[in-house]
Amino acid sequence: MLDIYTLGEEVLGEKCQPITKFDSGLRVLVDAMFETMSEADGVGLAAPQVGVPSRLFVINIQGVEKRAYINPQIIETSIETDISEEGCLSIPGVWHDVQRPARVTVQAQDIEGKVFTVKAEGLLARAIQHENDHLNGVLFIDRLSDEEKEKMVKAYEKRTKGKRRKER
Ligand code: NI
């Protein structure tokens, strides 16, 4: 299990670097990310969320997709958009509607460095865009208006403080 970094940690705002070594270290990281994600009940997890500023995320949507996306690039987005509620393992306890393109085509490398292409829609398209944003230091709350974002941050901070008090 890896620690999940939360709002306020510098690594979550960084532009991540491409992965160049497809070695056993990468495999260990990917396995640990899948485990951490499933333990946290998430459908996606990006490397910066576990403190690693590299261009990699994992997705696990039951019955749809379970895969690591390494050095992903969104090469096509639909003009049609979709609004749906999102949350993030790095901002636990808050959710908000986010508008995004309804469909995307993404090209990425697998654990061996082999290139693959995925045409995604629905939850998978949303998860890919959310995780890809993480690799550019962008969180879903950054996609909201300043006012909405501030509300989300306040709600999160209130929740975090409340939790800490309870734990004592
Ligand atoms: Ni997230």
Side-chain angles (χ1 to χ4, degrees):
M1 272 287 284
L2 303 166
D3 283 338
I4 297 178
Y5 287 56
T6 52
L7 192 65
E9 301 272 7
E10 214 169 294
V11 67
L12 293 177
E14 275 179 47
K15 186 163 169 68
C16 297
Q17 295 305 310
I19 284 174
T20 53
K21 276 192 212 151
F22 293 81
D23 57 6
S24 59
L26 179 61
R27 194 171 289 270
V28 168
L29 173 62
V30 166
D31 287 348
M33 283 174 65
F34 270 114
E35 218 175 287
T36 304
M37 173 174 62
S38 99
E39 197 73 30
D41 244 341
V43 296
L45 183 69
Q49 293 184 274
V50 293
V52 180
S54 298
R55 304 194 78 79
L56 151 71
F57 60 76
V58 295
I59 299 262
N60 189 3
I61 300 172
Q62 200 150 28
V64 177
E65 173 80 318
K66 183 180 181 183
R67 196 175 351 209
Y69 288 66
I70 298 163
N71 300 326
Q73 276 183 303
I74 293 175
I75 54 175
E76 218 180 303
T77 56
S78 64
I79 292 163
E80 190 196 326
T81 60
D82 206 14
I83 296 175
S84 192
E85 198 172 60
E86 289 186 26
C88 180
L89 294 177
S90 292
I91 323 170
V94 303
W95 290 270
H96 202 283
D97 279 350
V98 182
Q99 184 171 20
R100 296 187 187 269
R103 293 175 300 282
V104 295
T105 304
V106 60
Q107 207 164 66
Q109 284 167 283
D110 68 13
I111 191 93
E112 261 118 37
K114 209 175 139 229
V115 175
F116 64 90
T117 305
V118 171
K119 279 179 186 274
E121 57 179 16
L123 178 58
L124 179 58
R126 182 164 293 276
I128 285 170
Q129 293 174 83
H130 176 117
E131 300 312 328
N132 194 64
D133 271 354
H134 273 298
L135 308 186
N136 297 318
V138 175
L139 303 174
F140 83 93
I141 57 172
D142 297 322
R143 296 272 179 205
L144 309 177
S145 69
D146 288 350
E147 197 187 330
E148 287 169 322
K149 179 180 170 176
E150 204 181 298
K151 259 192 236 164
M152 290 290 100
V153 171
K154 279 198 180 132
Y156 169 72
E157 282 169 351
K158 198 174 162 193
R159 184 185 177 275
T160 316
K161 269 185 213 144
K163 209 173 166 188
R164 279 201 197 121
R165 261 202 298 277
K166 249 185 247 163
E167 276 163 7
R168 266 186 213 133

